[in-house]
Amino acid sequence: LMLAEFNGYSMQSQPSFWPLNQAKGFWPFFLMKRYVFEQVYWHFMPLGRWYGKYTIFEPPLQHLESAPVTAQEANLATGSQPALHAPGVSPEILSVVTPDVPGNVSLSGLLSEEAVTELAPRYRGWLYLNGPDHPAYLKKEIEDGGCRTTVVPIPPVSSGVTPSSETAEAVLNAMAELPRPLMVQCTAGNRSSASLLLWLVKQQDLDAAAATKLAEDLGLSFWTDCEECGPIREWVLNHCRPAPGATVATA
């Protein structure tokens, strides 16, 4: 029996049993399918006790992994970790969404001072996509909550301007460097969701078709609910991996 495992979006091979060549059939895979997977399906998965390639061992959550501590994170040295669902106002009430992939990045539009004060302690990183002089950029409140914050201005969707490649690189660098959990904030949530998809495109090496499917599955607002987001959608798609057999136009 052959056991084929792959990333459903990038279609790249993602084997759990990496020492083995899973392009060939192995009898242990038959035994797993016949005797193990059935038990897993009925007795472990419904209870949330099966973790895929980690089997019954719970993997470490990315947003709880250690990150370099800076002066801005000094108030996290108490030993407690920020939690997206800490007691208090629910992020969803404040129109903050946290897509299932990757699960530790939240997206928001404009937030009041009270909302930022409430939310900042739940995050370790905060990426702001308007300019540093924007009146809604509450840097002090964000940093007082223990977040590292970075500003990468992206042109407003209403401007019709397509962001540059330099802007894409700055967004990718910021999202790679900022610790998790991470808040990505703009004005209406469209540039935030575009930035997340851009980062996922690069992390998972997606082509345009896979990026489109992922955006739809996650319900990213700039893809599903924004009629004027054509330029920023194209901006993301231009950074996708070419599809197999596609030709790249040259000047």
Side-chain angles (χ1 to χ4, degrees), residues 110-129:
L110 295 181
L111 296 168
S112 67
E113 181 177 340
E114 292 77 11
V116 171
T117 301
E118 171 76 26
L119 290 170
R122 309 184 190 198
Y123 296 88
R124 298 186 67 188
W126 199 289
L127 176 58
Y128 192 70
L129 302 178

Side-chain angles (χ1 to χ4, degrees), residues 82-138:
L84 295 182
H85 301 290
V89 177
S90 168
E92 290 75 15
I93 294 177
L94 302 173
S95 298
V96 174
V97 297
T98 305
D100 291 337
V101 179
N104 56 6
V105 177
S106 298
L107 312 172
S108 78
L110 295 181
L111 296 168
S112 67
E113 181 177 340
E114 292 77 11
V116 171
T117 301
E118 171 76 26
L119 290 170
R122 309 184 190 198
Y123 296 88
R124 298 186 67 188
W126 199 289
L127 176 58
Y128 192 70
L129 302 178
N130 290 312
D133 298 326
H134 194 282
Y137 178 44
L138 303 173

Side-chain angles (χ1 to χ4, degrees), residues 13-237:
S13 175
Q14 207 170 45
S16 299
F17 305 93
W18 59 266
L20 301 176
N21 179 5
Q22 291 185 217
K24 299 180 179 179
F26 286 93
W27 65 267
F29 292 158
F30 166 77
L31 297 178
M32 290 175 61
K33 175 172 172 46
R34 176 63 181 85
Y35 298 106
V36 177
F37 292 163
E38 181 178 0
Q39 299 301 316
V40 167
Y41 181 84
W42 290 109
H43 302 293
F44 288 85
M45 293 180 67
L47 300 177
R49 295 178 180 173
W50 185 258
Y51 302 99
K53 66 179 181 180
Y54 297 97
T55 65
I56 62 173
F57 302 101
E58 185 173 358
L61 295 178
Q62 293 183 16
H63 71 275
L64 297 182
E65 292 177 354
S66 59
V69 177
T70 67
Q72 295 173 344
E73 295 176 275
N75 64 341
L76 295 175
T78 59
S80 60
Q81 291 285 353
L84 295 182
H85 301 290
V89 177
S90 168
E92 290 75 15
I93 294 177
L94 302 173
S95 298
V96 174
V97 297
T98 305
D100 291 337
V101 179
N104 56 6
V105 177
S106 298
L107 312 172
S108 78
L110 295 181
L111 296 168
S112 67
E113 181 177 340
E114 292 77 11
V116 171
T117 301
E118 171 76 26
L119 290 170
R122 309 184 190 198
Y123 296 88
R124 298 186 67 188
W126 199 289
L127 176 58
Y128 192 70
L129 302 178
N130 290 312
D133 298 326
H134 194 282
Y137 178 44
L138 303 173
K139 181 178 180 180
K140 180 179 183 302
E141 288 75 8
I142 294 170
E143 293 182 344
D144 285 349
C147 288
R148 286 175 53 190
T149 179
T150 298
V151 176
V152 179
I154 296 179
V157 170
S158 59
S159 70
V161 175
T162 301
S164 65
S165 296
E166 291 75 14
T167 299
E169 183 177 358
V171 168
L172 292 171
N173 288 339
M175 293 194 68
E177 294 170 1
L178 287 169
R180 275 29 173 193
L182 172 65
M183 172 69 80
V184 185
Q185 182 189 10
C186 60
T187 300
N190 293 317
R191 287 170 290 164
S192 298
S193 57
S195 298
L196 175 60
L197 184 61
L198 175 68
W199 183 74
L200 292 172
V201 159
K202 290 302 183 182
Q203 287 290 305
Q204 301 186 20
D205 192 27
L206 304 181
D207 61 20
T212 299
K213 183 69 166 63
L214 181 57
E216 293 172 349
D217 287 350
L218 296 179
L220 298 181
S221 62
F222 88 106
W223 201 276
T224 61
D225 300 316
C226 179
E227 295 182 357
E228 57 184 358
C229 286
I232 202 167
R233 284 196 288 267
E234 290 300 318
W235 175 64
V236 174
L237 293 178

